[in-house]
Amino acid sequence: MDSGDYRLLIRGAGELASATAGHLFSQGFTRILMLERRYPKAIRRQVCFSEAILDGRQTIQGIRASFARNLEEVERIHAAGEIAVSVMGLDETVANWQPDIFIEAAMLRRNWGLTRELAPVVIALGPGYVAKRDCHAVVETFRGPDVGAVLDDTGDELEDEPPAEIMGYAEERVLKAIRDGIFFTQKNIGDIVERGERVGTVVSVYGVEEFRKGVPVDASYAVTARIAGVIRGLLRDGVPVKAGDRIADIDPRGRTDDLDHISDKSRRVAEGVHEALLGLVA
């Protein structure tokens, strides 16, 4: 089969999944369908195809993705030379679309039930999966000299990767939800913030209407920057969050050129997936 004949299903449409999809698309794997949740939680939204779910389309470095409501629209999007992004259920998509290749890129860091029987070729990103048991290949996503490597075994329990250190800051850069609710913000990616400045507010689902009317809500809490810098990543306004979800990423360097560029780590992971794929479909 030519690369353009393979049906390639990617679970997830966040940063690593989008880098993978874009790289494989540029290498001729043009029948790509990505599945995401109805309200995506990617924060580096300018480099994530998940934005197509709420905006209809998303273009990253010249590659366009469009939202598909059903499999008929997927075929039309592919015929137009674009990547398809959908919120269709995984089971129904696998049963009715029958992918040749499945890539697990939701970055859950645990096996939710992934098996090699899901498709003729199954590749997983990150910890939580064991090659030859859960899938045919695992690609390392932990930042370091081995990122992007095709691994035989990642083990069952690996620690979550800490944020990259910039100017001595690591955990301080990342803002997370401390309780469930709906995140609201008037900030944008690229905005400069000071330490202690409000980036947004998380409101209890029961107090959303009052909050929108300007009424204080007891169950709400402010999300504030712990360091000064530029907002490198930020959830969309109105997205539901759970405790522990990432809300924003602050870059202490201030304005940089990489706000809308795929990171080096993501590129290496994408290249690793391509390497694994070539080894499995050859």
Side-chain angles (χ1 to χ4, degrees):
M1 292 174 64
D2 292 332
S3 56
D5 295 328
Y6 289 99
R7 293 189 176 195
L8 199 157
L9 181 62
I10 300 178
R11 185 170 183 261
E15 185 174 358
L16 291 181
S18 297
T20 297
H23 178 75
L24 294 179
F25 187 90
S26 70
Q27 298 301 311
F29 292 89
T30 53
R31 301 184 72 186
I32 297 176
L33 170 58
M34 308 180 78
L35 298 182
E36 249 298 352
R37 67 188 87 196
R38 184 66 184 87
Y39 293 99
K41 294 186 178 181
I43 61 173
R44 289 207 67 217
R45 296 182 283 111
Q46 292 173 326
V47 292
C48 295
F49 286 126
S50 57
E51 287 294 275
I53 293 172
L54 298 175
D55 291 338
R57 285 182 174 177
Q58 169 76 323
T59 301
I60 302 173
Q61 297 185 1
I63 297 175
R64 175 179 287 178
S66 290
F67 178 65
R69 289 170 292 185
N70 50 52
L71 292 178
E72 289 75 16
E73 291 189 1
V74 170
E75 296 306 316
R76 288 198 292 270
I77 290 168
H78 287 168
E82 301 176 356
I83 292 171
V85 184
S86 184
V87 295
M88 293 183 294
L90 176 62
D91 291 342
E92 64 174 294
T93 303
V94 170
N96 297 321
W97 199 59
Q98 298 181 345
D100 302 296
I101 300 162
F102 179 84
I103 299 174
E104 170 52 52
M107 299 308 296
L108 299 178
R109 297 170 178 84
R110 60 179 177 81
N111 191 337
W112 47 270
L114 179 69
T115 69
R116 290 181 294 170
E117 286 68 44
L118 201 61
V121 173
V122 178
I123 299 172
L125 304 189
Y129 304 97
V130 178
K132 307 299 190 294
R133 187 192 72 184
D134 307 326
C135 51
H136 297 98
V138 174
V139 176
E140 176 65 272
T141 60
F142 200 95
R143 188 179 293 102
D146 295 327
V147 65
V150 181
L151 305 176
D152 292 330
D153 186 346
T154 59
D156 290 311
E157 300 294 337
L158 294 181
E159 293 182 2
D160 193 6
E161 181 180 19
E165 184 174 307
I166 299 177
M167 295 177 60
Y169 297 107
E171 295 291 348
E172 301 95 332
R173 293 178 42 226
V174 178
L175 307 182
K176 296 182 179 181
I178 59 175
R179 290 195 301 273
D180 298 0
I182 310 294
F183 175 66
F184 294 96
T185 183
Q186 295 181 330
K187 297 291 188 182
N188 296 296
I189 293 174
D191 286 354
I192 297 291
V193 293
E194 297 299 326
R195 183 172 182 267
E197 184 175 346
R198 183 190 292 257
V199 173
T201 305
V202 174
V203 181
S204 164
V205 292
Y206 303 107
V208 169
E209 291 306 317
E210 289 83 354
F211 179 79
R212 285 174 170 162
K213 294 175 183 177
V215 178
V217 179
D218 291 339
S220 68
Y221 61 91
V223 179
T224 58
R226 294 192 283 173
I227 60 173
V230 66
I231 298 177
R232 184 171 182 263
L234 182 68
L235 279 183
R236 288 182 70 124
D237 179 61
V239 170
V241 295
K242 292 187 174 296
D245 283 351
R246 294 191 179 195
I247 286 178
D249 177 8
I250 309 297
D251 189 333
R253 295 172 296 181
R255 298 197 183 278
T256 63
D257 296 329
D258 66 348
L259 295 180
D260 57 355
H261 284 67
I262 297 170
S263 69
D264 291 342
K265 169 188 168 178
S266 298
R267 289 183 185 278
R268 288 197 292 271
V269 170
E271 291 165 358
V273 174
H274 190 203
E275 177 187 343
L277 188 54
L278 293 179
L280 291 167
V281 301

